[in-house]
Amino acid sequence: MISKKKKVSIYDIAQRLGVSASTVSRALQDHHSIGAEMKQLVRKTAEEMDYKPNRVALSLKLGKNNAIGVLVPHINRNFFSSVIEGIQQTAAEKGYDVLICQSNESYSRECQLLSALSQGKVDGVIASIAAGTQDVAHFNRLEQYGIPLVLFDRVSPEIPAAMKVVVNDYRGAYQVVEHLYNQGCRRIFHYAGPQHVSVWKHRLEGYCDAMKDLGLKTGRESIVYGEDMVREEGERLIREVMRMKRKPDAIFFTSDFVALGALVEMKKQGLSAPDDIAVVGFANEPFDEWITPSLTSVEQYSCRMGELVAKMLIDKIDGETPGDIVIEPQLIVRESSRKNKE
Amino acid sequence: MISKKKKVSIYDIAQRLGVSASTVSRALQDHHSIGAEMKQLVRKTAEEMDYKPNRVALSLKLGKNNAIGVLVPHINRNFFSSVIEGIQQTAAEKGYDVLICQSNESYSRECQLLSALSQGKVDGVIASIAAGTQDVAHFNRLEQYGIPLVLFDRVSPEIPAAMKVVVNDYRGAYQVVEHLYNQGCRRIFHYAGPQHVSVWKHRLEGYCDAMKDLGLKTGRESIVYGEDMVREEGERLIREVMRMKRKPDAIFFTSDFVALGALVEMKKQGLSAPDDIAVVGFANEPFDEWITPSLTSVEQYSCRMGELVAKMLIDKIDGETPGDIVIEPQLIVRESSRKNKE
DNA sequence: GTGAAAGCGCTAACAA
DNA sequence: TTGTTAGCGCTTTCAC
């Protein structure tokens, strides 16, 4: 390997030109106190010498990194990678770098990562809380260090200083039940997620209220609590349902993946959706429209969510105090729940 | 908002303890020249004062960032987000931060981002070349600045200094053709991607060689060149195929998304896969096994790829010179091409 | 075993 | 219009 070229600094330029470093610095910043010819000359020389400003030095000096940290449960999940895409987009436009971390849904990992993010590399943090997290004190600590925090999707009321961007999960769930009701379903079950996670809690509330408002009963049997929200849980549920004397005529899953498992198992068991049991998911994963039957779900506008959340954080970094945002979700009706063919 | 607490530095600790900053620094690093009691005291005080080392200052001083830059065409694509997940995992284990950028397949954006990544924030770069890129000089420039580069998946032979991690696309494609041949297909078409992208070029080569070795003809008609490799192109292709006098009995798509479009359009046109036309994709996207018929594809071990690529870059940063890696892909046979029911 | 001082690359008072 | 200087927070030689 040939010589690793020494990086060129403003001092090198200054020396070559016989001026001081500050002149070079100012010229490069287009400072008004520098003459046009000088600016021209400096810029030309910088170009020639292939000068690149050192952003680390800049950060240290200015106390500003132009970087934001993003902490999510998983990168490789359509919802989160879409949000990240949105964050990236907006951040890049505003000149911010994006530092990515994943908690793997683990509380201890989340603590570690937040602590690392407090070590001065980022100007603010965007996060979505891990499923394994019950105590959120570590998030509040961030603000103590003066690092603005914006939460999205999985939020907590116990982090007062954080701004929030969420989907109206309550409304989304409510609409799902209404839709199922309109399709003629009356015995509607709900597969709920762990209740310490905000989104799953709100969806359950939406389900319960809608059922009540429509005069439908929700009993012990009609609400099932999931754990990891993976495909296998959906398959398991269907096997359980097969053993029930009074089967549901619809199941509203709080996750597309669990719903997918259910659809697969239903096929295996000779049950049809929507005719035997209507099925609805949540999150509108891309595969929803490709599977058979295609899966009714709730769109959360994840990419847009990322854009909003990034904009909100950057505004906060700039000293503004934007308000929380609630995104209205949209029910996407597909084959798995459409009984009235119109 | 209450007072933004001033960050505590080693000087604050030193002052409180009536010792010098260097003592504190050394104590914190467990330097041998510091007495056990002193170390103990410093650590306790640091804890009490909630001291967090400033990693920016560290970077500047040491000339080492413990950060790597990742530049991909799109974050929100299963293949890339899986690779990123793998990169993240390994990087985190080795104490590296991960900075994410996306080129959106655009050449000019890729140039900009690489230039930004040369500004001293990262110790090395991992990249996969944008589809819009023909000239790769900007990648070679990185090495001039002494920033190690590792390419994955979409690579180029014209970037000599970069290490590479790729899938054996040639073998993957070759195996697809063999498989289709064994299923009785003889008129096998290939939907190829833009040929300046390495992976698509190699897949085409594998296809051509396999066809030749098996004594099958490949004519002008049998190779179709795609552009953006999206669903719609698959649908379009099937409509074109409908107009042909001699239809293919199999189509090997170089992308699962295009294959998906084809399957959808085939259903609409009343064609069945694999009976009328066997269909194979590439990349083994998660939805492949959920759609009907399930889609035969080629697994690329993307998450593992991310781990390897991160390890390789970090080794390179540490001054080692690891060799290129070729991952052997695996053909996953599913309904869309399985004619002999065994 | 501990302290003083230089310096990583840059900016921004303050001087001239 | 330009130069001098201090300092962002840290490590590390060199001295004691």
Side-chain angles (χ1 to χ4, degrees):
Chain A
M1 187 165 288
I2 315 296
S3 69
K4 185 174 281 195
K5 300 226 170 76
K6 192 89 202 74
K7 287 220 54 167
V8 0
S9 78
I10 51 170
Y11 283 89
D12 301 317
I13 301 179
Q15 191 165 21
R16 167 100 86 104
L17 258 36
V19 297
S20 80
S22 20
T23 301
V24 175
S25 171
R26 282 187 278 239
L28 257 15
Q29 296 172 78
D30 206 15
H31 195 279
H32 62 269
S33 70
I34 300 288
E37 343 70 69
M38 188 74 227
K39 277 182 190 165
Q40 189 53 34
L41 180 59
V42 168
R43 271 200 274 260
K44 190 169 133 277
T45 320
E47 175 85 4
E48 274 173 25
M49 300 178 74
D50 200 22
Y51 165 76
K52 297 269 172 190
N54 181 327
R55 293 193 49 200
V56 175
L58 239 187
S59 285
L60 183 60
K61 176 66 194 169
L62 267 30
K64 175 90 195 294
N65 297 292
N66 278 285
I68 61 185
V70 175
L71 172 53
V72 290
H74 282 288
I75 292 168
N76 179 21
R77 272 290 186 72
N78 184 263
F79 173 72
F80 289 114
S81 63
S82 293
V83 174
I84 292 173
E85 169 131 20
I87 291 174
Q88 231 300 239
Q89 211 66 40
T90 303
E93 279 164 23
K94 308 225 174 193
Y96 279 76
D97 292 330
V98 177
L99 223 115
I100 298 274
C101 317
Q102 63 187 338
S103 65
N104 291 329
E105 303 281 14
S106 144
Y107 169 67
S108 62
R109 191 129 184 65
E110 190 173 77
C111 288
Q112 282 172 21
L113 290 167
L114 278 185
S115 171
L117 286 172
S118 319
Q119 298 189 114
K121 282 197 128 175
V122 298
D123 300 317
V125 169
I126 291 171
S128 197
I129 306 178
T133 297
Q134 311 253 4
D135 174 17
V136 296
H138 50 309
F139 281 102
N140 286 313
R141 226 164 290 141
L142 262 194
E143 298 275 344
Q144 286 169 17
Y145 303 135
I147 300 178
L149 172 65
V150 176
L151 294 169
F152 72 92
D153 197 53
R154 310 229 205 123
V155 304
S156 162
E158 289 159 38
I159 311 175
M163 308 270 75
K164 283 144 196 139
V165 179
V166 292
V167 165
N168 192 336
D169 289 286
Y170 177 92
R171 277 294 302 154
Y174 199 102
Q175 284 172 13
V176 166
V177 176
E178 281 184 323
H179 158 68
L180 288 169
Y181 184 89
N182 291 337
Q183 300 297 309
C185 301
R186 291 298 176 267
R187 193 165 158 74
I188 303 170
F189 280 21
H190 180 51
Y191 193 88
Q195 290 300 298
H196 64 275
V197 177
S198 58
V199 291
W200 288 320
K201 180 154 161 278
H202 297 148
R203 290 174 202 170
L204 175 57
E205 289 166 2
Y207 161 81
C208 289
D209 285 2
M211 291 293 279
K212 192 162 12 143
D213 293 353
L214 291 167
L216 300 179
K217 272 206 283 291
T218 62
R220 152 111 22 110
E221 216 180 9
S222 66
I223 300 174
V224 182
Y225 292 91
E227 280 180 42
D228 304 322
M229 311 313 276
V230 293
R231 263 183 76 182
E232 290 67 27
E233 293 184 28
E235 299 173 6
R236 203 182 312 140
L237 177 70
I238 293 300
R239 286 194 293 270
E240 274 170 38
V241 161
M242 293 301 286
R243 283 188 240 103
M244 295 181 182
K245 339 124 255 271
R246 285 196 64 210
K247 298 192 192 351
D249 55 9
I251 309 178
F252 163 32
F253 290 89
T254 202
S255 147
D256 281 343
F257 289 94
V258 185
L260 172 68
L263 287 177
V264 168
E265 186 67 21
M266 281 175 67
K267 249 191 247 183
K268 208 184 289 180
Q269 303 277 356
L271 289 177
S272 131
D275 298 327
D276 294 310
I277 303 175
V279 171
V280 176
F282 209 107
N284 202 24
E285 292 281 335
F287 66 78
D288 290 356
E289 55 171 319
W290 303 333
I291 58 180
T292 312
S294 56
L295 176 62
T296 295
S297 194
V298 180
E299 168 65 40
Q300 314 193 77
Y301 302 103
S302 42
C303 193
R304 169 133 188 72
M305 189 164 191
E307 292 168 11
L308 287 171
V309 91
K311 178 169 185 330
M312 182 178 271
L313 178 64
I314 293 172
D315 283 349
K316 209 171 163 192
I317 290 172
D318 291 343
E320 300 171 35
T321 51
D324 291 351
I325 294 182
V326 177
I327 295 176
E328 287 305 318
Q330 194 190 348
L331 178 69
I332 311 284
V333 178
R334 298 203 183 86
E335 295 165 358
S336 68
S337 73
R338 191 187 289 121
K339 295 198 173 193
N340 324 328
K341 331 272 174 188
E342 285 135 289
Chain B
M1 186 164 288
I2 315 295
S3 67
K4 184 174 282 196
K5 301 225 171 74
K6 191 88 202 76
K7 286 222 54 168
V8 358
S9 78
I10 50 171
Y11 283 89
D12 300 316
I13 301 178
Q15 191 164 22
R16 166 100 85 104
L17 258 37
V19 297
S20 81
S22 15
T23 301
V24 175
S25 171
R26 281 189 277 241
L28 257 15
Q29 297 172 79
D30 206 15
H31 195 278
H32 62 269
S33 71
I34 299 289
E37 342 69 69
M38 188 75 229
K39 277 181 190 166
Q40 189 52 34
L41 181 59
V42 169
R43 271 199 276 259
K44 190 169 133 280
T45 320
E47 176 85 4
E48 274 173 26
M49 300 179 74
D50 200 23
Y51 165 76
K52 297 268 173 191
N54 181 326
R55 294 192 49 201
V56 175
L58 241 186
S59 284
L60 182 59
K61 177 67 194 168
L62 267 31
K64 175 88 195 296
N65 298 293
N66 280 285
I68 61 184
V70 176
L71 172 54
V72 290
H74 282 288
I75 291 168
N76 179 21
R77 271 291 185 70
N78 184 264
F79 173 73
F80 289 113
S81 63
S82 294
V83 173
I84 293 173
E85 170 132 20
I87 291 174
Q88 231 306 170
Q89 211 68 39
T90 302
E93 279 164 23
K94 308 225 173 193
Y96 278 77
D97 292 330
V98 177
L99 223 118
I100 298 275
C101 317
Q102 62 188 340
S103 64
N104 291 329
E105 304 282 14
S106 143
Y107 169 68
S108 62
R109 194 131 180 63
E110 190 173 77
C111 287
Q112 281 173 22
L113 289 168
L114 278 184
S115 171
L117 286 172
S118 318
Q119 299 188 116
K121 282 197 131 177
V122 297
D123 301 316
V125 169
I126 290 171
S128 198
I129 306 177
T133 297
Q134 311 253 4
D135 174 15
V136 296
H138 50 310
F139 282 101
N140 286 313
R141 227 165 287 141
L142 261 194
E143 298 275 344
Q144 286 169 18
Y145 303 134
I147 300 177
L149 171 66
V150 175
L151 295 169
F152 72 93
D153 197 53
R154 309 228 205 124
V155 304
S156 161
E158 288 159 38
I159 311 175
M163 308 271 75
K164 284 145 196 138
V165 179
V166 292
V167 165
N168 193 336
D169 289 286
Y170 177 91
R171 277 294 302 156
Y174 199 102
Q175 283 171 13
V176 167
V177 176
E178 281 184 323
H179 158 69
L180 288 170
Y181 184 88
N182 291 336
Q183 300 296 311
C185 302
R186 292 297 177 269
R187 195 167 157 73
I188 304 170
F189 280 22
H190 180 51
Y191 193 88
Q195 291 300 298
H196 65 275
V197 176
S198 58
V199 292
W200 288 319
K201 180 153 161 278
H202 297 148
R203 290 175 201 169
L204 175 57
E205 289 167 1
Y207 162 81
C208 289
D209 285 2
M211 291 293 278
K212 194 164 9 146
D213 293 352
L214 291 167
L216 300 179
K217 273 207 282 292
T218 62
R220 150 111 24 107
E221 216 179 11
S222 66
I223 301 174
V224 182
Y225 293 90
E227 278 180 44
D228 304 323
M229 313 312 277
V230 292
R231 264 183 75 183
E232 291 67 28
E233 294 185 27
E235 298 172 7
R236 203 181 313 140
L237 177 69
I238 293 299
R239 286 194 292 271
E240 274 170 38
V241 161
M242 293 300 288
R243 284 188 240 103
M244 295 182 181
K245 342 129 253 272
R246 286 195 64 210
K247 298 192 191 351
D249 54 11
I251 308 178
F252 163 31
F253 290 89
T254 204
S255 147
D256 282 342
F257 289 94
V258 185
L260 172 68
L263 287 177
V264 169
E265 185 66 21
M266 280 175 68
K267 249 190 246 182
K268 208 183 288 179
Q269 304 277 355
L271 289 178
S272 131
D275 298 327
D276 294 312
I277 302 176
V279 171
V280 176
F282 209 107
N284 201 25
E285 291 281 334
F287 66 77
D288 290 356
E289 54 171 321
W290 303 333
I291 59 181
T292 312
S294 57
L295 175 62
T296 295
S297 194
V298 179
E299 166 66 40
Q300 313 193 78
Y301 301 105
S302 42
C303 193
R304 169 134 187 71
M305 191 162 188
E307 292 168 13
L308 287 171
V309 91
K311 177 168 186 329
M312 182 177 271
L313 178 64
I314 293 172
D315 284 349
K316 209 171 164 193
I317 291 171
D318 291 342
E320 299 171 35
T321 51
D324 291 352
I325 293 181
V326 177
I327 295 177
E328 287 306 317
Q330 195 188 347
L331 179 69
I332 311 284
V333 178
R334 297 200 183 88
E335 295 165 358
S336 69
S337 72
R338 193 187 289 122
K339 294 199 174 192
N340 325 326
K341 330 273 174 190
E342 288 135 287

